[in-house]
Structures are given as C-alpha cells and as structure tokens.
Amino acid sequence: MTLEEKLWKTFNKALGQYQLIDEGDNILVGLSGGKDSLCLLEFLARRSHILKPRFSVEALHVRMDNIHYETDTSYLQQFCADLGIPLHIVTTSFPSPTPSKFADDTQRKKDKSPCFLCSWQRRKQMFNIAQELKCTKIALGHHQDDIIHTVLMNLTFHGHFSTMPAKLPMRKMPLTIIRPLCLCRESDILAYAKQRDYKKQLKQCPYERASHRTTIANLFAQMEQYNPEARYNIFHALEAENKLIEY
C-alpha cells in the first residue's frame, strides 16, 4: 500500500466511523496554508466527486494583520482552482495585549496570550463566513497527533481528560466542526506533503515554537520512544470515554 493509499483509507475510515459528512452538506475548510489543511482540502475535494453522500466544499484563508507570518495566497488560489474549490480570503486583526508593569501575578495569568487571541479571532471570522455562505460544517486539519497533544495538555495544565473531538456540534449556531484527519498520523501527512510538493509558508509565526504545545509534542515523542503503543493506548482511552464525538 502506498502512502497516499494509506492516508486516503484512514481519512475515509474517519468519515464513516464518526459520521462526519451528511447528504447535502456544504463544508467550509479552514485553509491555513500548512500541510495539514492542504491535505484535508485535497482529500475532501476528491471525496466530493464520489456519488454518496453528495456535498460541496469551499475554503477560507484568514490573514492576520498584526502577526508577522505570511502565506503565498497566489499559491493557495491556484491550489484551490486546480481542485475546483472556491477560496475566500479575509484579513483581520486583534488588539495586542499590553499588560501593565504594575499588574500582579493573578492579573498576568488572566492576560490572554497572542496565540489565544489570534486563534479566537480566526475562529470568529470562520464562524461568520460559514454562516454567510450557509455552510453546515467547518472542517479543520487537526490530525491524530494534535488530538493526543491536546489531551496531554489538558491533563497536565488543566486537570481534566478531554481533547478536540472529531465531531463537535455548535450549541449557539447551526454548524458542526469536523476533523476528518483525526485518525491520520502527522508523520504520514508530512511525508505526503513532500511527495506532493506542497509549498511552505513564506514566514513562520513568531510564537510557533514558544508554546506549551511544542513542549507537550516533545514529551509525547519521548513517550512513544519508551512505548510505541502509547499513541494507540491514549487514543483508545479517548474512544472508551466517548471524548471524540459530542452530541
């Protein structure tokens, strides 16, 4: 089995196992320009040409004015055009946090990080555009490693066993978030991106390497060295506790 066949099979397994797509869906893909979202869009575009279920796909790329990283939007436009997928590009920003030098420790803990503010603003734009386009689902490119890293972060820093579910209906709007790459390993997606010659971002986010998530990713890599079954054990625990689908 080739790498492409392996990823395609895993992708379709997730669609069926978690019932991620329904007849008549209009799915908005969050297209960051990274390898995961490019792979997700490619696979969803291909899947949309299969007879059942019938669904449509659109893509959204959100640019952030005050975070200094850059994606080649002309490449994204051509990538989407080759797939026959409409691309929407939105530029926005968020107020930069300016903590006072007189703030105490309690206040500093309450201050939101640039990563939180950026993510929150992107999600806000995505929800707004999805409703304007009458989409029923938003597809995000989180893979199995992202889901495992999140549960480890929540256990370590917040004291609860939870993660990003493969399927999450929104309570305040008629939208459902889906993660069709939830069973795919990051290493496989990275290798596939190299095979497909996906173009990398022009500039990386300055906060990308300075986060708890990076630390947890390194910790999980060590865990897999100690026990190669760690990945499957953690994921099976999430499934056993019904943490991967919310109703």
Side-chain angles (χ1 to χ4, degrees):
M1 183 185 296
T2 67
L3 176 60
E4 181 176 359
E5 290 170 340
K6 177 184 176 183
L7 273 173
W8 178 245
K9 181 179 179 180
T10 307
F11 165 81
N12 281 289
K13 179 182 177 181
L15 295 186
Q17 183 169 322
Y18 301 112
Q19 300 179 344
L20 299 185
I21 298 178
D22 297 302
E23 182 75 22
D25 271 342
N26 185 23
I27 301 175
L28 183 66
V29 177
L31 187 63
S32 68
K35 67 184 188 312
D36 308 321
S37 64
L38 291 171
C39 178
L40 173 62
L41 185 64
E42 180 185 330
F43 280 14
L44 278 174
R46 186 193 305 182
R47 187 67 178 78
S48 69
H49 295 301
I50 297 176
L51 187 60
K52 292 183 179 181
R54 295 181 184 274
F55 66 95
S56 57
V57 181
E58 303 189 45
L60 172 67
H61 178 67
V62 181
R63 298 184 65 115
M64 197 63 63
D65 259 349
N66 52 335
I67 294 290
H68 301 293
Y69 74 94
E70 187 177 352
T71 299
D72 186 345
T73 50
S74 63
Y75 172 73
L76 297 183
Q77 288 169 331
Q78 187 60 55
F79 188 89
C80 291
D82 291 342
L83 295 173
I85 300 297
L87 173 64
H88 309 272
I89 299 177
V90 175
T91 301
T92 186
S93 63
F94 62 88
S96 299
T98 53
S100 168
K101 65 180 180 179
F102 302 108
D104 57 21
D105 289 340
T106 301
Q107 182 59 46
R108 289 193 185 96
K109 289 179 181 178
K110 291 181 180 178
D111 290 332
K112 303 301 184 183
S113 69
C115 295
F116 173 88
L117 294 170
C118 179
S119 175
W120 184 86
Q121 186 62 32
R122 287 175 183 278
R123 290 293 179 92
K124 179 181 176 182
Q125 292 294 327
M126 188 171 294
F127 289 140
N128 289 341
I129 297 297
Q131 291 181 93
E132 288 177 14
L133 296 172
K134 298 186 179 350
C135 293
T136 53
K137 300 218 170 100
I138 293 175
L140 302 177
H142 298 120
H143 43 65
Q144 189 178 63
D145 294 65
D146 287 325
I147 289 172
I148 292 173
H149 296 165
T150 299
V151 72
L152 293 176
M153 285 182 65
N154 287 339
L155 281 169
T156 304
F157 297 105
H158 304 294
H160 56 82
F161 186 65
S162 63
T163 190
M164 302 180 291
K167 186 176 184 179
L168 176 64
M170 296 286 96
R171 293 185 176 89
K172 297 183 179 180
M173 57 191 77
L175 285 168
T176 298
I177 292 178
I178 59 173
R179 296 180 168 92
L181 300 181
C182 61
L183 299 179
C184 299
R185 298 172 65 120
E186 182 178 21
S187 57
D188 288 339
I189 297 173
L190 179 60
Y192 182 69
K194 291 178 180 178
Q195 283 186 7
R196 298 285 291 161
D197 197 26
Y198 289 163
K199 192 170 183 178
K200 294 183 178 180
Q201 293 175 347
L202 301 180
K203 295 179 183 177
Q204 296 295 327
C205 172
Y207 301 103
E208 192 166 298
R209 297 300 174 190
S211 69
H212 289 319
R213 184 167 289 275
T214 303
T215 304
I216 290 294
N218 293 333
L219 175 62
F220 177 60
Q222 293 178 10
M223 291 171 65
E224 284 201 290
Q225 288 180 353
Y226 290 127
N227 178 17
E229 296 297 315
R231 168 186 301 272
Y232 307 104
N233 291 340
I234 294 171
F235 210 79
H236 289 160
L238 288 168
E239 289 184 324
E241 295 295 326
N242 294 317
K243 298 296 184 181
L244 294 174
I245 298 183
E246 291 195 15
Y247 299 95

